[in-house]
Structures are given as structure tokens and as C-alpha cells.
């Protein structure tokens, strides 16, 4: 049995324990609640915004952020539940991480790890071109470079590209890229590279085509002045009348395809016997390529052309050889977009033609084109490049070609257009060896219109004293003597007075033999008068007339000679031309 003293001792101990327990539960000894959601934050390379929730029963809370790339909407607060926005606005090339430390009351601070994925590029970089094609003659292209990087630089892997500046700064910059002239035949290419630190590389593919065709000036000769002593003016003074060998060597499909027989020595004899001492040879070459990929002309055709020229020069007559319509590859395409390709073919053709015919003396002249369709200043600029290519190609072959007379055509071979547009001639380093050429079919209603048109009727009767009283609707109403006087005077002042003779390469008027009776008689008389007057006024202004004879003897033909039997077909027209030439 326990004694009373023992019981007292037990009670005293319990009271002491109770007191101790009561004192340990003071408010400041209670643990603060602190909870964070989420416990970790991860950003993608582009950054962004992420909410972080703080839950606590403390009187306040705070966040320690020692990072310069992590942004907080707030770093402290008194709310028991708070939403803090964590954001990253910068991009990093490499993975990075840092720690946010959140404290509240006596709770153990919570660490939230913030990470951001790395990326290869932190800046943008772009250019306004992905590829470029430069002309063989050398050209320029301008591009814009845009970047958010501090600076950029441009380079390439070729030796034929240059820049007006090779470095730049953030923002927009412009660079002019220049390709040098290229003489090779194979196309060449390369890559332009634009770099900026931590930005995607920009690559631009560049190319430059090689020569369209091989260089056919494979055996140039030293200049040879033998038989080439006369100037263009002196040769012009020797030519009385010229005749066109129309619709023969230029006929598409072959020399006889347009109804004329093969050109013969007898035909040239006939032409000479009837007062002509020069022949213009319209000629096709494009259809006679043995290889269109290389623009190589069939040597058999070159030999045929040479033979026909020989028929003329052997009779002490002058010959003018041109590249005629030829399917229109040049004269229908005097345009900037065809300039490079046509100049290439012009060069290839004339290198071959001039080389093959180099041994002829000054009785042979070369003409650049036929009737180049040109109506604007920009087209005129292109035509001058065609002429320049022709001149350079002929002269480069050397020998007698170094001194040969060359003939250049005005825009559309129209007198008015020539006067207005042809203000600057191509350059020929050989002095006094150039002639100009125009054609004259004015008015077209009389010369070539074969049915009434919405813009006008056919003219059957031309010239003072030759109008019809019974058929007035077919009388000429424009383009008569006064117009001829004015137009040919323009040629005299523009060329002849400056030492450049002019070829009237074509003029004619269709023979309307379907007319009958007095109408036919008056028409033929007025037509003869037209030939007389145009021939006379041309020669009076220093212009050498070459009549267009297409060999056609039927209605609407222009033949003077019957080539089938080598005889004069239209004596009336022939007499008129001769009379005008002798005035």
C-alpha cells in the first residue's frame, strides 16, 4: 500500500509536467504553412509566362530572385494565397537554369527551379532573294538584308562576285551584288552566304550562264586593205540603181519555195543589162543551221550564198548581203528580254558569214538586219546593241572585213521613226565605212494594201495628174509628192550631209493587174510615175534606190523581170525607174 507521501509526490510531478506542456504551445512556436505550385518551372526557347501559386498562413512572404533573365510580377506579398507571374522574354542559345527562393514566416524556405531550353538561333536574319541569275555581260542585283542581330557579314565561294558593302548592323541594309563579265561557254554557279552570330545562315544561289554559242572567230586574220580603199560615200557614188533579189535566198523552205527558180548567172546578166549595177541579197540563215544548239550554219548553204555573190561581183556589180526576216527571230524581237539571246545569235551568225565571205573585195557589203520592228526609245537602244554586235563580229574576223562597208537599218526602216529615234549610231572604229538603210512603201494603201481596211481604202492612183475622175474612192489622199520630198530631205540632213550615205533598201508598189480598161491603164501609169518620182527624189537627197522585185508576175506582184525565162516583164516600170535614176 502506497503511503500518503508517495501520493503527494506523484501529484506534484503531474502538475509540473502539465505546466511544462502548457508553456510549449505558445503561438510563436507553431510551424508556418508554405506551399508552392508548381515546384519547378520550365520555359521553351522562345520564353513566355507561367503562373506560380503561393499558399501560406504567414503574415507575409517574399521571393529572392538573383537572376537577370527571370522576371516576376511581384517579389513579395501579404496574401495567404497569391499568384505570381514568372516570365522570360529573352532567348538563350544554351540551356540555362536558376532558383527562386520563397520564404514565409518560420517555414522552411521553398526553392523553385526555373529552367529554359536552349536554341541555336536567338536572332532573325533574312534576305529578299533566294537565287539570282546574272547575264553573261555582267550585271547587278540589289537585295535587302534584315536582322535583329547586332551585325552581319556577306561572303561567297566564287571569284566573280563583288559587293558595295560586305558588313552591316541590326535592322535593314541594302547590298548591291555585281557579277563580272563571263566569256566561258559552260554555265557557272556559286553560293552567297550571309551570317550573323546566333542567327540562321542565309544562302543565296547565284548563277551565270555561259556563252549561248561557241566563238566562231577561230582564225581571225590581220587587216587586209587590198581592194578595200574606197569610202562608203565613194562606193555610194558608184551605184546608180539597185535591184532586190527578193523571195529567193530568204525564202523559208528553200531557195525555190516561194515560186522563183534558182538564181542563175543569166539572171544577173539580165539585171545588169537593164541598168542596175548593185544587187541587194535578202538572205536566210536561221533555217540553215546544221546544229541549232550551237547556231552552226550549214557550210553547203554558206557556199551557195558565196556562189550567188560571185555571180554579182564577177560582173563588177556591188552586192549587199543581209540577214533578212529569217522567221522573225531578230526583227520581231527587238526587246530587252530578248537582247542577250539575240545578240548571241547575231554574233555567232556574222562571225561565220563574215569569215566564209572574207575574201571578197569592197564590191561586197554586209547589212546587219532587214526591217527591225522598233517603235520606242527602249527598243531603239536594243537595236543599237544588235548593230554593235554585228559591227564587232564582222570587224573581228579581220582580213578585208576589217575595212568592209557595213549597212545599218533604222528603226522599222521607217524614215520618220529613224529621224525621231535614231539619235546615236553604234561605234565603228573604222572611219567612213558605214551606210544607213531605210525602206519606203508610202503610202501603204498604194504600195501594198490588197483589200480595203477599216482604216482606209486601197489606192490605185497616185500623184498629181494621175487621179481618177471615175473611181475617186481609190485615189491617194496622202503620202504623195510633197510627203516624199519632205521625208527624203530628212535623210539628207540626218545622214548624207554628215558623210553617211543612205540605202533605200526596198521600195515598190503592187501591180494591180486585176483592174481592167481605163482603170488599169491609169493605175499602171500612176504606178510608173510613183517609181519615177521616188527614184528621182531619193537620188536627189543622196539616197541610193534598190527596187524590191519579188519575182511575182501575177496580180499584186512586184516583178520587173521574169526569172523563169530571164526576160523583162514590166518594161513600163523599168523605164520609169531608169528615168528617175538618170534625172
Amino acid at each position: 500500500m502506497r503511503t500518503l507521501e508517495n501520493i503527494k509526490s506523484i501529484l506534484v510531478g503531474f502538475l509540473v509536467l502539465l505546466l511544462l506542456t502548457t508553456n510549449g504551445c505558445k503561438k510563436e512556436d507553431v510551424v508556418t504553412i508554405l506551399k508552392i505550385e508548381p515546384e519547378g518551372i520550365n520555359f521553351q526557347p522562345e520564353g513566355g509566362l507561367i503562373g506560380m501559386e503561393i499558399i501560406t498562413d504567414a503574415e507575409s512572404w517574399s521571393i529572392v530572385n538573383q537572376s537577370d533573365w527571370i522576371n516576376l510580377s511581384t517579389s513579395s506579398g501579404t496574401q495567404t494565397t497569391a499568384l505570381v507571374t514568372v516570365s522570360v522574354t529573352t532567348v538563350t542559345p544554351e540551356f540555362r537554369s536558376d532558383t527562386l527562393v520563397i520564404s514565409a514566416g518560420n517555414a522552411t524556405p521553398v526553392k523553385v527551379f526555373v529552367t529554359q531550353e536552349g536554341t541555336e538561333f536567338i536572332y532573325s536574319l533574312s534576305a529578299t532573294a533566294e537565287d539570282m541569275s546574272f547575264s553573261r555581260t555582267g550585271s547587278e542585283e540589289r537585295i535587302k538584308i534584315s536582322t535583329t542581330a547586332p551585325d552581319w557579314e556577306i561572303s561567297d565561294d566564287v571569284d566573280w562576285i563583288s559587293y558595295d558593302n560586305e558588313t552591316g548592323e541590326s535592322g535593314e541594309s541594302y547590298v548591291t551584288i555585281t557579277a563580272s563579265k563571263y566569256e566561258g561557254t559552260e554555265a557557272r554557279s556559286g553560293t552567297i552566304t550571309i551570317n550573323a552570330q546566333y542567327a540562321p545562315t542565309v544562302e543565296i544561289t547565284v548563277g551565270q550562264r555561259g556563252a549561248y554559242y561557241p566563238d566562231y572567230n577561230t582564225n581571225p586574220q590581220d587587216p587586209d586593205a587590198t581592194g578595200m580603199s574606197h569610202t562608203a560615200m565613194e562606193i555610194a557614188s558608184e551605184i546608180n540603181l539597185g535591184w532586190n533579189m527578193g523571195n529567193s535566198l530568204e525564202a523559208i523552205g528553200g531557195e525555190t519555195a516561194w515560186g522563183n527558180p534558182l538564181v542563175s548567172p543569166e539572171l544577173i546578166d539580165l539585171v545588169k543589162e537593164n541598168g542596175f549595177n548593185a544587187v541587194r541579197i535578202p538572205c536566210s540563215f536561221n533555217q540553215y543551221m546544221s546544229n541549232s544548239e550551237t547556231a552552226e550554219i550549214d557550210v553547203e548553204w554558206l557556199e551557195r550564198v558565196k556562189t550567188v555573190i560571185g555571180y554579182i561581183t564577177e560582173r563588177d556589180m556591188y552586192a549587199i548581203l543581209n540577214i533578212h526576216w529569217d522567221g522573225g527571230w531578230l526583227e520581231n524581237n527587238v526587246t530587252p528580254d530578248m537582247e542577250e539571246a539575240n545578240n548571241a545569235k547575231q554574233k555567232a551568225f556574222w562571225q561565220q558569214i563574215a569569215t566564209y565571205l572574207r575574201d571578197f573585195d569592197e564590191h561586197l557589203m554586209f547589212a546587219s538586219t532587214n526591217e527591225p520592228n522598233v517603235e520606242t526609245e527602249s527598243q531603239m537602244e536594243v537595236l543599237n546593241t544588235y548593230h554593235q554586235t554585228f559591227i564587232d563580229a564582222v570587224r573581228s574576223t579581220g582580213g578585208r572585213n576589217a575595212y568592209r562597208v557595213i549597212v545599218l537599218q533604222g528603226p522599222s526602216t521607217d524614215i520618220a521613226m529613224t529621224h525621231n529615234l535614231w539619235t546615236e549610231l553604234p561605234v565603228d572604229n573604222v572611219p567612213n565605212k558605214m551606210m544607213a538603210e531605210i525602206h519606203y512603201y508610202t503610202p501603204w494603201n498604194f504600195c501594198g494594201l490588197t483589200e480595203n481596211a477599216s482604216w482606209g481604202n486601197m489606192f490605185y492612183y497616185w500623184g498629181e495628174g494621175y487621179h481618177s475622175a471615175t473611181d475617186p474612192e481609190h485615189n491617194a489622199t496622202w503620202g504623195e509628192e510633197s510627203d516624199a520630198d519632205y521625208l527624203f530631205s530628212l535623210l539628207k540632213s540626218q545622214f548624207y550631209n554628215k558623210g553617211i550615205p543612205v540605202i533605200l533598201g526596198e521600195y515598190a508598189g503592187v501591180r494591180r493587174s486585176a483592174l481592167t480598161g481605163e482603170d488599169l491603164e491609169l493605175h499602171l501609169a500612176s504606178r510608173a510615175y510613183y517609181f519615177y518620182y521616188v527614184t528621182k527624189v531619193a537620188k536627189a537627197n543622196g539616197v541610193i534606190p534598190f527596187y524590191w522585185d519579188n519575182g511575182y508576175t501575177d496580180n499584186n506582184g512586184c516583178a520587173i523581170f521574169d526569172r523563169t525565162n530571164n526576160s523583162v516583164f514590166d518594161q513600163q516600170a523599168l523605164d520609169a525607174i531608169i528615168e528617175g535614176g538618170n534625172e
Side-chain angles (χ1 to χ4, degrees):
M1 177 179 290
R2 294 179 179 177
T3 62
L4 181 61
E5 287 77 10
N6 288 337
I7 293 172
K8 287 181 179 179
S9 296
I10 291 170
L11 289 172
V12 170
F14 178 76
L15 289 172
V16 172
L17 179 61
L18 180 62
L19 287 171
L20 288 173
T21 302
T22 302
N23 289 337
C25 291
K26 290 181 180 179
K27 184 175 181 180
E28 58 268 20
D29 291 333
V30 175
V31 176
T32 301
I33 297 171
L34 179 60
K35 184 176 181 181
I36 309 298
E37 289 290 344
E39 297 178 350
I41 298 174
N42 177 255
F43 288 97
Q44 293 302 305
E46 63 273 16
L49 302 173
I50 295 178
M52 181 177 69
E53 187 178 33
I54 301 175
I55 301 172
T56 182
D57 57 357
E59 293 181 355
S60 63
W61 52 267
S62 63
I63 305 174
V64 175
N65 173 23
Q66 296 181 337
S67 173
D68 60 358
W69 56 274
I70 301 174
N71 305 304
L72 302 175
S73 58
T74 182
S75 60
S76 62
T78 58
Q79 307 95 324
T80 56
T81 301
L83 183 64
V84 177
T85 300
V86 183
S87 63
V88 173
T89 58
T90 57
V91 183
T92 177
E94 298 177 353
F95 175 85
R96 60 185 174 183
S97 63
D98 217 324
T99 304
L100 300 176
V101 180
I102 300 95
S103 301
N106 64 0
T108 301
V110 176
K111 294 181 178 181
V112 175
F113 291 97
V114 180
T115 60
Q116 184 182 14
E117 301 295 331
T119 181
E120 184 179 0
F121 308 123
I122 63 175
Y123 300 118
S124 64
L125 177 64
S126 64
T128 53
E130 295 181 356
D131 55 73
M132 295 179 181
S133 180
F134 294 95
S135 69
R136 287 182 53 251
T137 56
S139 56
E140 295 181 349
E141 295 285 347
R142 194 164 185 252
I143 64 169
K144 181 173 73 174
I145 297 173
S146 303
T147 186
T148 55
D151 50 53
W152 57 264
E153 63 179 5
I154 190 170
S155 61
D156 58 70
D157 58 1
V158 297
D159 60 1
W160 45 274
I161 293 290
S162 61
Y163 315 94
D164 61 344
N165 60 77
E166 298 181 1
T167 60
E169 298 178 347
S170 180
E172 294 183 351
S173 305
Y174 290 88
V175 177
T176 299
I177 303 170
T178 303
S180 60
K181 183 178 180 179
Y182 183 39
E183 300 290 350
T185 56
E186 297 295 327
R188 60 182 179 180
S189 62
T191 303
I192 292 175
T193 303
I194 306 172
N195 283 316
Q197 190 176 25
Y198 300 129
T201 298
V202 173
E203 291 186 343
I204 302 172
T205 301
V206 291
Q208 190 174 31
R209 66 163 298 143
Y212 283 82
Y213 310 111
D215 185 353
Y216 286 102
N217 187 24
T218 56
N219 62 335
Q221 296 180 355
D222 292 335
D224 181 3
T226 306
M228 309 296 291
S229 60
H230 292 93
T231 66
M233 288 292 282
E234 290 169 338
I235 290 175
S237 68
E238 292 293 319
I239 300 176
N240 182 39
L241 292 172
W243 177 79
N244 269 278
M245 188 188 294
N247 290 17
S248 286
L249 298 192
E250 85 278 27
I252 302 301
E255 186 177 345
T256 63
W258 289 353
N260 287 313
L262 292 173
V263 175
S264 65
E266 291 76 19
L267 174 62
I268 305 305
D269 285 334
L270 176 68
V271 172
K272 182 176 182 180
E273 289 166 2
N274 283 278
F276 299 94
N277 68 335
V279 177
R280 180 172 177 261
I281 309 171
C283 198
S284 172
F285 291 96
N286 195 57
Q287 67 173 320
Y288 292 106
M289 287 187 290
S290 58
N291 185 335
S292 60
E293 294 296 320
T294 61
E296 182 178 2
I297 302 171
D298 191 330
V299 70
E300 291 184 4
W301 179 245
L302 289 171
E303 184 61 26
R304 173 57 182 163
V305 173
K306 183 177 183 179
T307 297
V308 171
I309 293 171
Y311 295 160
I312 300 165
T313 59
E314 289 164 6
R315 287 158 176 77
D316 198 31
M317 300 170 71
Y318 291 93
I320 298 177
L321 176 73
N322 74 359
I323 295 180
H324 208 67
W325 175 69
D326 215 7
W329 67 267
L330 184 147
E331 65 184 52
N332 288 348
N333 295 285
V334 190
T335 56
D337 60 327
M338 290 299 295
E339 180 177 354
E340 183 178 11
N342 279 348
N343 271 311
K345 183 176 283 189
Q346 178 86 323
K347 178 181 179 181
F349 278 178
W350 278 110
Q351 283 182 331
Q352 295 173 80
I353 297 165
T355 297
Y356 205 84
L357 305 175
R358 182 165 47 197
D359 293 337
F360 284 101
D361 69 11
E362 65 188 11
H363 282 81
L364 173 63
M365 295 169 274
F366 292 146
S368 174
T369 65
N370 172 47
E371 292 180 347
N373 292 325
V374 171
E375 296 181 350
T376 66
E377 291 181 1
S378 63
Q379 286 183 297
M380 186 65 240
E381 291 177 4
V382 176
L383 177 58
N384 266 340
T385 70
Y386 293 169
H387 288 330
Q388 191 66 62
T389 295
F390 159 74
I391 295 170
D392 295 343
V394 171
R395 297 289 185 235
S396 70
T397 62
R400 287 173 165 172
N401 289 336
Y403 303 101
R404 193 170 305 284
V405 168
I406 55 175
V407 184
L408 308 181
Q409 294 63 45
S412 298
T413 53
D414 178 83
I415 297 176
M417 286 188 184
T418 296
H419 179 74
N420 293 329
L421 295 178
W422 206 7
T423 58
E424 185 175 352
L425 295 174
V427 176
D428 184 11
N429 293 324
V430 183
N432 305 317
K433 293 287 188 176
M434 183 185 295
M435 294 185 182
E437 180 181 348
I438 54 85
H439 297 172
Y440 194 76
Y441 292 104
T442 303
W444 180 248
N445 309 58
F446 179 77
C447 296
L449 192 65
T450 57
E451 60 181 21
N452 291 336
S454 59
W455 50 267
N457 289 341
M458 294 178 286
F459 295 164
Y460 299 163
Y461 320 105
W462 183 95
E464 184 179 357
Y466 292 91
H467 285 193
S468 172
T470 58
D471 187 19
E473 67 177 13
H474 292 114
N475 287 331
T477 58
W478 66 281
E480 296 188 282
E481 292 95 334
S482 61
D483 290 323
D485 293 340
Y486 170 71
L487 290 170
F488 280 97
S489 71
L490 294 179
L491 295 173
K492 188 174 189 294
S493 60
Q494 185 175 2
F495 297 106
Y496 186 83
N497 290 347
K498 298 175 182 178
I500 301 173
V502 181
I503 298 292
L504 171 52
E506 294 181 16
Y507 70 112
V510 294
R511 189 173 190 270
R512 304 176 190 274
S513 56
L515 295 174
T516 59
E518 292 182 356
D519 288 347
L520 176 59
E521 183 178 350
L522 182 60
H523 161 68
L524 294 177
S526 71
R527 180 171 175 266
Y529 174 66
Y530 177 88
F531 295 157
Y532 159 77
Y533 196 90
V534 172
T535 304
K536 181 185 75 168
V537 74
K539 294 204 69 175
N541 286 279
V543 179
I544 311 165
F546 280 71
Y547 178 78
W548 176 257
D549 187 329
N550 61 10
Y552 291 178
T553 58
D554 294 335
N555 182 46
N556 294 328
C558 297
I560 291 178
F561 301 113
D562 186 333
R563 302 186 196 178
T564 302
N565 55 28
N566 290 324
S567 63
V568 175
F569 167 73
D570 192 340
Q571 190 69 53
Q572 183 182 30
L574 176 60
D575 290 343
I577 293 169
I578 292 173
E579 183 182 359
N582 291 330
E583 283 275 324

